[in-house]
Amino acid sequence: MAHTDHLTMRRVLHREIAGTIGLLTDEHDFRAMRRYRSFTFADHETYLQQVEALLKTRAAQGSHTTVALFDPQEYADFCEDGDLDPDLPSSRTRFTAELAANGPTVPYEGQKLADLVPVLVDEAVRQATWEYASTLLARVGACATCGEDIGRAAFARASNLLVRILDTAPPGNRHLVCSVSGTPETLVAALHADQDADGTTQLDEAEALEFTTVLALGIATRSPGGLVMRTTAPGTSDRIYGWRLRGDGLDPLTAGQVFDAYCTDVESGDLISPESGVDYCVPPDLGQDARAGETGEEGGDGPAAEHRH
């Protein structure tokens, strides 16, 4: 009887343990792991099938599982830094535990693995974008005139602009995209801001942080960039409008500029038919403070030259 009670308690405790699976999402990463003898899977398709079966089994047992993106190069670096043998399953589990604590993860909630993988990859890209933008922002340094940290001031400015954009947006669900080029590469961040029935705006904190950081980097480095907003509400046409990033402010795009941007193929330059049920329009007035001021005009000697005093 006592033995049965112990087994029952262990089963109960097993359901209390959360787990993380490090997933090799593509064939290239899978082949890189096959150099380790302890990694015994022969082909990627079978590997994915087994992972999905394991996820289903754990869910059926009441266990919560998150899926993390397993990068072979990061794993090799992790083992080298920690003086671990990369050809041991225990090393892989330690790396996966590190991913669970610090890396991008997606909870398994019964969805197909084919649906989960794109979400996981997007999450990884979003985190990498934020880390890269944060690093560049921190390197901008202090204003040569007043000594204020330009990156910190730009982040505060970007936060205020984002609040103003959301406050002036029409009711409904909002999808906002910010792109900043020449930093030295183009960075893109997206933000979903859905409204509840009572008008409360719901934001994902990680998305908002990434979006604000990318916008701040554009402000701090005076890089070319822009923002586009799409609002969706029942019973009305979708509205699309945007701004050009200039200095520490935003210049509104005309309806024609927005239309051209959405209805021109980026690669070929050919015209694309406009979407039905969509209005390309001028953005709401953000107020004088949101526009590019003296520091946002063309010219100057870099970030410090445009810093507000």
Side-chain angles (χ1 to χ4, degrees), residues 9 19 27 46 64 73 75 107 109 140 152 155 193 214 240 250:
M9 285 188 288
E27 183 75 33
T46 301
H64 175 74
Q73 185 56 54
Y75 171 64
E109 298 172 331
V140 175
R152 188 172 301 168
F155 190 88
V214 170
I240 299 177
L250 297 173

Side-chain angles (χ1 to χ4, degrees), residues 38-294:
S38 60
F39 187 80
T40 57
F41 289 96
D43 67 90
H44 191 229
E45 184 177 352
T46 301
Y47 162 80
L48 292 177
Q49 292 171 351
Q50 292 299 316
V51 169
E52 186 160 24
L54 177 59
L55 289 170
K56 290 179 179 179
T57 299
R58 287 181 54 82
Q61 294 172 345
S63 298
H64 175 74
T65 310
T66 57
V67 182
L69 193 66
F70 195 105
D71 183 279
Q73 185 56 54
E74 290 182 4
Y75 171 64
D77 294 340
F78 174 82
C79 291
E80 183 176 354
D81 293 341
D83 196 24
L84 302 173
D85 182 354
D87 203 2
L88 290 177
S90 59
S91 298
R92 291 196 289 274
T93 57
R94 289 180 65 172
F95 177 66
T96 301
E98 183 77 12
L99 292 177
N102 302 307
T105 61
V106 173
Y108 176 71
E109 298 172 331
Q111 67 271 52
K112 293 181 179 178
L113 197 60
D115 296 329
L116 185 148
V117 167
V119 176
L120 178 59
V121 172
D122 287 346
E123 187 70 20
V125 170
R126 189 176 75 181
Q127 180 164 320
T129 299
W130 171 73
E131 291 175 350
Y132 181 63
S134 297
T135 299
L136 294 181
L137 196 61
R139 291 176 180 171
V140 175
C143 174
T145 304
C146 69
E148 184 176 5
D149 186 291
I150 295 175
R152 188 172 301 168
F155 190 88
R157 175 67 169 159
S159 298
N160 291 334
L161 288 173
L162 177 57
V163 169
R164 187 63 182 152
I165 288 170
L166 294 177
D167 284 347
T168 59
N173 296 333
R174 298 85 173 259
H175 180 68
L176 189 59
V177 176
C178 174
S179 62
V180 173
S181 58
T183 57
E185 61 186 63
T186 299
L187 298 179
V188 179
L191 178 64
H192 297 82
D194 295 341
Q195 271 192 336
D196 292 340
D198 61 359
T200 303
T201 299
Q202 300 294 332
L203 292 176
D204 180 281
E205 291 185 5
E207 275 192 358
L209 178 60
E210 180 208 353
F211 187 95
T212 307
T213 303
V214 170
L215 177 56
L217 181 62
I219 292 172
T221 59
R222 300 189 71 185
S223 298
L227 290 83
V228 175
M229 169 78 88
R230 181 173 188 143
T231 62
T232 304
T236 63
S237 298
D238 285 8
R239 299 183 64 187
I240 299 177
Y241 52 83
W243 300 265
R244 178 185 293 108
L245 180 60
R246 176 173 292 183
D248 66 350
L250 297 173
D251 284 348
L253 297 175
T254 66
Q257 289 171 327
V258 176
F259 179 89
D260 289 343
Y262 266 81
C263 299
T264 303
D265 186 275
V266 176
E267 296 183 358
S268 67
D270 295 336
L271 293 178
I272 303 173
S273 299
E275 293 184 61
S276 60
V278 172
D279 291 335
Y280 303 92
C281 49
V282 175
D285 186 5
L286 299 181
Q288 185 64 37
D289 187 57
R291 301 189 186 98
E294 293 180 1

